[in-house]
Amino acid sequence: MTTEESKAALVARLGQLERAARPLNPGTGRRRTLRNAVSASAERFLRRIETLKAFEDDAGSGQGLLAEPIGERGLELERVIDLFEREVVTPGLNPASGGHLAYVPGGGIYHAALGDYLAAISNKYAGIFFTGPGPVRMENQLLRWVADLVGYPASAAGNIASGGSIANLTAIATARDAHGLKGGDLATAVVYLTSQAHHCIEKALRIAGLGEVQVRQVPIDEHFRMRPDALTSLIEADRAAGLRPWLVIASAGTTDTGAVDPLDRIGAVAHAAGCWFHVDAAYGGFFLLTEHGRSMLRGIETSDSVVLDPHKTLFLPYGCGVVLVRDAAPMLATHHYFGNYMQDAAAARDEVSPADVSPELTKHFRAVRMWLPLKLLGLAPFRAGLEEKLLLARYFRREVAELGFEVGPEPDLSIVTYRWVPPGADLERCNRINQRIVEAVRRDGRVFLSSTMIDGRFTLRMVALSFRTHRKTIDLALRVLRAAAAEATAA
Ligand SMILES: *Cc1c(COP(=O)(O)O)cnc(C)c1O
């Protein structure tokens, strides 16, 4: 083949491939069709959200997805949407339902979904300031707002990560390097937390190469809060034994009971001992928007690092966890790297780039899903929604006690623990009955409640956190519980 011929063949092939790849970039008309179908599906869902079950036990487990393998040819739009609604949206937990009162409910406000849409359409690069000055300023502005809420100084830095687990990992890796922990130090370094700390903390320690550190469970009081006096004693004993107290991790809203450790007193003990003080406020942090939350979380401002999950307590859809570190320097020291392929970006440095303070380089442009709702709605409805959740928990506790359930302590935030104790039932029978109650509630499905074990007692939990949970949802939960308790006791 001559050079001319081979060029002609190349051009012809490029033309073919361009045509074959054209569906990747739909035109106006096709975009409208796609958008309308997706919008219609979203509307079908949202218009029925009040009557959809919070847990759907009888709709399979998404097996139908496997009947449609990924293949060379696309499917009809209607079939794809139908597959999605039937196999993905319907089965299992419906986290968008106000009746989701289990685990720690998530959010999913509409404005945030539209933010995701805009983020994906522009696909702005959110990792590095040079290429994405707008996205990076937006993220840092949001982080500054959260830092002000927490009470951190101007030196703070942070990151909008994918969730609380990665946010905690980022903080723990920073704490490791800030205290210069190296391999040889691990066996003598000590972490202090309580039995109520979220499991992602120990997971983060392991991932951060710290699986060999000593972990002390600090005793808790009758409200499941860390006891500062017990922390002091443990630290003193470890010192005396030649160990190196390193990290104190307090919870601002434990997952089991929503307990808030006494942050001001724990912080004072931690700092006096020269420890890094980390607060896991993944669930409780944004209650700082309420007066009650501010008083419960007093002392959070003394921490060295903190985690708050906007996908929980700011009602955003899943995929959003904030980590803040009081002083940017150690966070940068742990995460900042440089590659030659990034040399053009080095000059532009008016803002800390997310890639310099987190494990991620390229990232989902998460900031818009937080920015758009905050800009459109302002803070007032968030404050009101959060205060409503705090009061709904109190309301539930009163009413469920009225039904004859034994209730746990007055909630620190929006989680209530309770259990059904029929007269004369021993622990084993009690546990069985309460397990049957949870199962009956799940089968009913109108609300979804979960359980935990507290000191060997099978305990029921109710968590008010969804922006769609209101008084009538709680009244429904109470009716479902009354019936379930009667059924479980009779069985
Ligand atoms: C939810 C939660 C986590 C984990 O966060 P994810 O966003 O699920 O990764 C950590 N700590 C606490 C206290 C939580 O409530």
Side-chain angles (χ1 to χ4, degrees), residues 95-116:
S97 163
H100 178 20
L101 308 169
Y103 311 121
V104 176
I109 52 178
Y110 189 69
H111 315 74
L114 298 179
D116 274 352

Side-chain angles (χ1 to χ4, degrees), residues 18-297:
E18 183 179 326
R19 282 189 297 281
R22 197 161 284 158
L24 295 177
N25 192 14
T28 317
R30 182 64 182 157
R31 285 205 300 274
R32 187 184 311 114
T33 306
L34 291 165
R35 194 171 56 242
N36 287 348
V38 166
S39 255
S41 171
E43 279 304 312
R44 271 196 293 284
F45 180 68
L46 291 177
R47 286 192 188 142
R48 290 187 307 148
I49 191 71
E50 296 291 327
T51 53
L52 286 175
K53 285 184 165 186
F55 198 97
E56 183 53 79
D57 229 3
D58 303 320
S61 58
Q63 282 287 342
L65 282 177
L66 308 181
E68 299 283 6
I70 306 298
E72 280 307 308
R73 305 238 159 254
L75 297 183
E76 298 259 301
L77 177 57
E78 292 69 27
R79 252 175 90 196
V80 176
I81 299 275
D82 177 61
L83 196 60
F84 180 72
E85 291 182 1
R86 192 159 31 84
E87 303 295 338
V88 180
V89 179
T90 307
L93 171 63
N94 177 4
S97 163
H100 178 20
L101 308 169
Y103 311 121
V104 176
I109 52 178
Y110 189 69
H111 315 74
L114 298 179
D116 274 352
Y117 179 68
L118 291 175
I121 293 290
S122 66
N123 201 26
K124 291 295 285 185
Y125 196 83
I128 301 277
F129 179 69
F130 172 64
T131 41
V136 171
R137 277 200 209 281
M138 180 187 284
E139 175 161 343
N140 287 345
Q141 181 187 25
L142 290 165
L143 290 164
R144 189 58 245 170
W145 168 68
V146 183
D148 286 338
L149 195 61
V150 167
Y152 270 7
S155 58
N159 189 248
I160 305 181
S162 57
S165 300
I166 300 298
N168 275 303
L169 172 64
T170 305
I172 284 168
T174 301
R176 174 196 64 203
D177 297 349
H179 282 217
L181 287 196
K182 298 281 194 300
D185 308 318
L186 299 189
T188 53
V190 192
V191 180
Y192 303 85
L193 38 70
T194 75
S195 58
Q196 306 296 299
H198 194 277
H199 73 268
C200 78
I201 299 288
E202 295 206 49
K203 180 171 168 180
L205 287 168
R206 180 145 47 88
I207 296 172
L210 301 166
E212 293 156 70
V213 298
Q214 309 290 322
V215 176
R216 297 274 178 270
Q217 287 202 351
V218 183
I220 49 181
D221 65 17
E222 69 283 3
H223 284 85
F224 309 100
R225 302 176 188 143
M226 186 186 285
R227 281 176 37 204
D229 59 317
L231 174 63
T232 304
S233 313
L234 283 173
I235 289 177
E236 281 169 5
D238 285 334
R239 270 266 156 66
L243 300 176
R244 176 174 168 181
W246 159 53
L247 172 62
V248 174
I249 299 180
S251 306
T254 61
T255 312
D256 259 356
T257 70
V260 180
D261 291 333
L263 303 179
D264 46 356
R265 294 166 63 206
I266 301 290
V269 174
H271 288 307
C275 289
W276 183 278
F277 177 40
H278 174 67
V279 175
D280 180 3
Y283 154 61
F286 284 103
F287 281 110
L288 284 168
L289 287 167
T290 68
E291 206 173 305
H292 174 78
R294 272 198 303 283
S295 94
M296 284 309 303
L297 273 66

